[in-house]
């Protein structure tokens, strides 16, 4: 029986700082483009999702200060928000202009402002992606870094929700070496959305690197194009 894998990509806190964000564009998402839900009784999704989260300047998540890094122009941006306990979820899809690259500040028209303050930044994550195709013409998602508040790091790990026996990630580092890293269990009470963390160790990756997320070594997994933060 195939084991489904739900993946959330987030960043590893480290001492490497990125260039401060100045004069970035601000996008106010319209209510018609934004859908959200908060409920105590939640169903755990078995689908796959990836989110690249960069530690930022805020102590708690804020709908007015979601930052997204767009490395190259893309006509549409999709955002899916998920809390670790599964209570809060939201999504938005909207157009970008050609000048909206680099770090973009997003303001979300939430009706649950007080609920955001319940979550640490790495416990309410934003999956920011664009639709694309790989070299074989197959559908693939390009995943962009996100941060609550001004971004402060450029290193990332992965957060995974999996019932597999050995969740792992596979990718090529910037030297062309194929790397496989195992994931470690998160020791928290409520981990309905993600329950493993996957570190890149000391491996550096180039831009637009393809990552494969697998619930165990016998699974073919699912691919994503992961964009790191540019210089």
């Amino acid at each position: 029986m195939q084991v489904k894998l739900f993946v959330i990509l987030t960043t590893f806190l480290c001492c490497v700082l990125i260039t401060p964000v100045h004069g970035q564009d601000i996008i106010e998402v319209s209510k018609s483009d934004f859908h959200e839900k908060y409920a105590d009784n939640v169903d755990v999704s078995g689908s796959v999702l990836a989110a690249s989260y960069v530690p930022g300047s805020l102590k708690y998540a804020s709908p007015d200060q979601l930052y997204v890094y767009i490395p190259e122009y893309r006509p549409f941006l999709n955002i899916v928000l998920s809390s670790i306990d599964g209570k809060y979820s939201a999504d938005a899809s909207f157009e970008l202009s050609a000048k909206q690259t680099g770090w973009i500040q997003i303001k979300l028209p939430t009706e649950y402002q007080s609920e955001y303050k319940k979550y640490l930044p790495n416990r309410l994550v934003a999956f920011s992606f664009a639709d694309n195709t790989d070299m074989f013409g197959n559908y693939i998602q390009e995943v962009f870094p996100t941060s609550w508040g001004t971004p402060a790091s450029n290193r990332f790990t992965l957060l995974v929700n999996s019932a597999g026996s050995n969740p792992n990630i596979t990718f090529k580092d910037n030297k062309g070496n194929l790397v496989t890293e195992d994931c470690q269990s998160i020791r928290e009470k409520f981990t309905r959305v993600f329950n493993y963390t996957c570190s890149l160790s000391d491996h550096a990756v180039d831009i637009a690197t393809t990552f494969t997320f697998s619930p165990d070594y016998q699974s073919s997994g699912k691919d994503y194009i992961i964009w790191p933060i540019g210089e």
Side-chain angles (χ1 to χ4, degrees), residues 155 171-176 179 200-206 209:
R155 296 288 301 274
F171 58 94
K172 284 187 177 181
D173 63 18
N174 61 355
K175 296 180 181 179
V179 179
L200 300 187
S201 298
D202 295 325
H203 301 287
V205 295
D206 289 327
T209 299

Side-chain angles (χ1 to χ4, degrees), residues 55-94:
S57 59
L58 300 183
K59 293 182 179 180
Y60 302 97
S62 170
D64 292 331
Q65 296 192 56
L66 173 62
Y67 286 74
V68 179
Y69 182 78
I70 309 297
E72 298 177 355
Y73 169 63
R74 296 293 182 269
F76 288 95
L77 180 66
N78 306 288
I79 296 176
V80 178
L81 299 173
S82 301
S83 62
I84 190 172
D85 57 13
K87 292 183 178 181
Y88 181 80
S89 61
D91 64 85
S93 181
F94 49 89

Side-chain angles (χ1 to χ4, degrees), residues 54-142:
V54 177
S57 59
L58 300 183
K59 293 182 179 180
Y60 302 97
S62 170
D64 292 331
Q65 296 192 56
L66 173 62
Y67 286 74
V68 179
Y69 182 78
I70 309 297
E72 298 177 355
Y73 169 63
R74 296 293 182 269
F76 288 95
L77 180 66
N78 306 288
I79 296 176
V80 178
L81 299 173
S82 301
S83 62
I84 190 172
D85 57 13
K87 292 183 178 181
Y88 181 80
S89 61
D91 64 85
S93 181
F94 49 89
E95 294 184 17
L96 295 175
S97 69
K99 69 175 183 177
Q100 289 172 327
T101 58
W103 282 104
I104 306 296
Q105 182 180 349
I106 308 293
K107 293 187 176 183
L108 305 171
T110 183
E111 296 181 359
Y112 299 99
Q113 180 90 28
S114 60
E115 307 303 336
Y116 276 69
K117 298 177 183 178
K118 296 180 180 180
Y119 296 104
L120 296 173
N122 63 346
R123 293 300 181 257
L124 176 58
V125 297
F127 170 39
S128 175
F129 68 96
D131 300 321
N132 209 330
T133 55
D134 62 16
M135 66 179 66
F136 305 106
N138 301 314
Y139 174 76
I140 193 170
Q141 293 170 333
E142 292 184 280

